[in-house]
Amino acid sequence: MKNLKIIVSLPITPQQKARLEQAAPSADFYFSMDGNIPEAVLKDAAVLVGRFTPAQAALADRLRFLQLSSAGADLFCAPGVLAPDTLLANASGAYGISVSEHMTACTLALMKNLYAYHTNQNRRLWKDEGKAAAIVKSVVLVIGMGDLGRAYAQRMKALGSFIIGIRRHPANKPDFVDEQYSLSGHPKQEADRILDDCLSRADVVALCLPNTAQTTHIINAARLSHMKPSAYLINAGRGNAVDPDALYEAAVNHTIKGSVLDVTDPEPLPPDHKLWDAPGVYITPHAAGDFHLDLTLDLVVDIAVKNLRHFVNGEPLENLVDRSAGY
């Protein structure tokens, strides 16, 4: 395609830049490392690749294809952000390694009391924190069996856990999952019963969910009451999957053992928010993904290169987002 104007907003290396240019050799590229792009440049772009705000995307009057560098796409699915015929693709598949390794590290830290020992070290306190939890034969419930959930389940299975997976739609059960349930196709009462039963069995509950109306506060006071007092909660999907007030009450009342949040509601979490001081709640600033691993950026560029080639050749794109579902 001649005269195709493409904006790439990513902190890429010269080698990655060359790969993107080779994917669309007749296109006119504009590269931004920091996301600061003149409005006039945005208005003329037909393709956006990388990190953009919905406001930036809305300024691109000629936009035909938006390739996100994130797995989450919900902000771009809102009415009025993109024209109905604009193609939208995400970077699902690029973050499974980074996020699942972060989640696994957090799981081990929770179960082996490492957070408590770090606090003791800061206090110069030599204190045994007592019994730890075993990963082997623990029951790990993964809610959301997309790229992130599957990657985490695979790692925890390799460590000896019994894996239960919950997904929205039916699909073949992976070999590394012991039990798998879907929530669609059931009356709400039956879907709630399935989820609550799984929560009551779990030693670790891991959330890897997108931001949708169905997932908002899926973990609330009632759901937390079904969890074991010895159970742990990990959220690495979207912050609004957990009701923060309900989690605070559960932490204060010790109705669950502990939790790690890499995502929060709201986000960023305000400095005066009560969750910062909740006992047994450990917070990271949405740091499990992003480009903290060089490998992640390589994988994002891989997806973008493939889809640029597909786009200029008029071929179907990969990782297309269903805007009605939000992912």
Side-chain angles (χ1 to χ4, degrees):
M1 293 183 182
K2 293 183 178 180
N3 302 319
L4 183 70
K5 297 189 182 300
I6 301 174
I7 300 175
V8 178
S9 179
L10 286 170
I12 53 176
T13 65
Q15 293 79 12
Q16 291 166 338
K17 178 177 180 287
R19 290 187 62 207
L20 290 163
E21 290 173 327
Q22 290 164 8
S26 299
D28 179 14
F29 279 83
Y30 179 97
F31 291 92
S32 170
M33 299 289 284
D34 59 7
N36 292 320
I37 304 164
E39 184 174 330
V41 175
L42 283 166
K43 284 186 173 295
D44 208 25
V47 178
L48 302 179
V49 176
R51 290 174 161 173
F52 297 90
T53 66
Q56 286 177 314
L59 285 172
D61 297 330
R62 301 181 182 181
L63 185 61
R64 296 164 56 194
F65 169 38
L66 170 56
Q67 172 64 64
L68 296 172
S69 60
S70 61
D74 50 289
L75 295 177
F76 297 88
C77 296
V81 176
L82 301 178
D85 59 348
T86 299
L87 298 169
L88 176 63
N90 64 15
S92 179
Y95 294 92
I97 294 172
S98 177
V99 175
S100 66
E101 287 186 353
H102 180 99
M103 294 173 68
T104 303
C106 292
T107 305
L108 290 165
L110 284 170
M111 298 180 82
K112 302 305 177 186
N113 300 324
L114 297 187
Y115 291 109
Y117 285 120
H118 184 256
T119 298
N120 291 347
Q121 179 179 346
N122 288 337
R123 296 172 178 170
R124 299 173 180 259
L125 179 63
W126 186 277
K127 178 188 175 187
D128 191 316
E129 289 294 334
K131 289 186 177 181
I135 290 93
V136 172
K137 296 185 179 180
S138 65
V139 176
V140 174
L141 172 62
V142 183
I143 304 177
M145 290 294 289
D147 176 48
L148 306 185
R150 289 195 306 271
Y152 174 70
Q154 196 166 17
R155 283 154 179 75
M156 293 305 295
K157 181 64 178 178
L159 291 173
S161 297
F162 183 94
I163 307 298
I164 303 174
I166 295 237
R167 54 184 304 124
R168 182 179 180 186
H169 299 296
N172 292 332
K173 181 180 73 65
D175 291 341
F176 51 83
V177 173
D178 296 286
E179 297 177 18
Q180 180 169 277
Y181 304 94
S182 63
L183 298 183
S184 66
H186 298 285
K188 184 179 184 305
Q189 185 175 4
E190 176 62 11
D192 287 345
R193 186 199 64 76
I194 292 170
L195 181 53
D196 291 344
D197 178 66
C198 291
L199 285 167
S200 70
R201 297 168 57 195
D203 298 300
V204 178
V205 176
L207 306 178
C208 302
L209 293 165
N211 178 12
T212 69
Q214 292 76 26
T215 60
T216 298
H217 289 187
I218 191 171
I219 299 298
N220 51 31
R223 291 266 157 72
L224 287 164
S225 72
H226 286 283
M227 291 175 60
K228 299 176 182 178
S230 58
Y232 303 99
L233 175 69
I234 299 173
N235 189 12
R238 285 294 180 264
N240 62 0
V242 177
D243 180 341
D245 293 329
L247 179 59
Y248 178 81
E249 292 301 319
V252 169
N253 294 317
H254 303 287
T255 56
I256 64 172
K257 181 75 171 177
S259 58
V260 169
L261 308 177
D262 186 54
V263 288
T264 59
D265 181 17
E267 189 174 306
L269 197 65
D272 60 350
H273 199 284
K274 58 189 177 183
L275 273 180
W276 287 112
D277 298 316
V281 176
Y282 305 98
I283 298 169
T284 52
H286 208 145
D290 206 343
F291 299 138
H292 294 99
L293 294 184
D294 291 339
L295 174 62
T296 303
L297 183 55
D298 288 338
L299 294 172
V300 168
V301 171
D302 286 346
I303 293 168
V305 166
K306 287 180 185 178
N307 267 349
L308 280 178
R309 287 178 179 152
H310 290 323
F311 183 76
V312 298
N313 292 319
E315 300 167 350
L317 302 182
E318 301 176 30
N319 283 34
L320 279 175
V321 172
D322 180 348
R323 287 203 236 170
S324 63
Y327 60 92

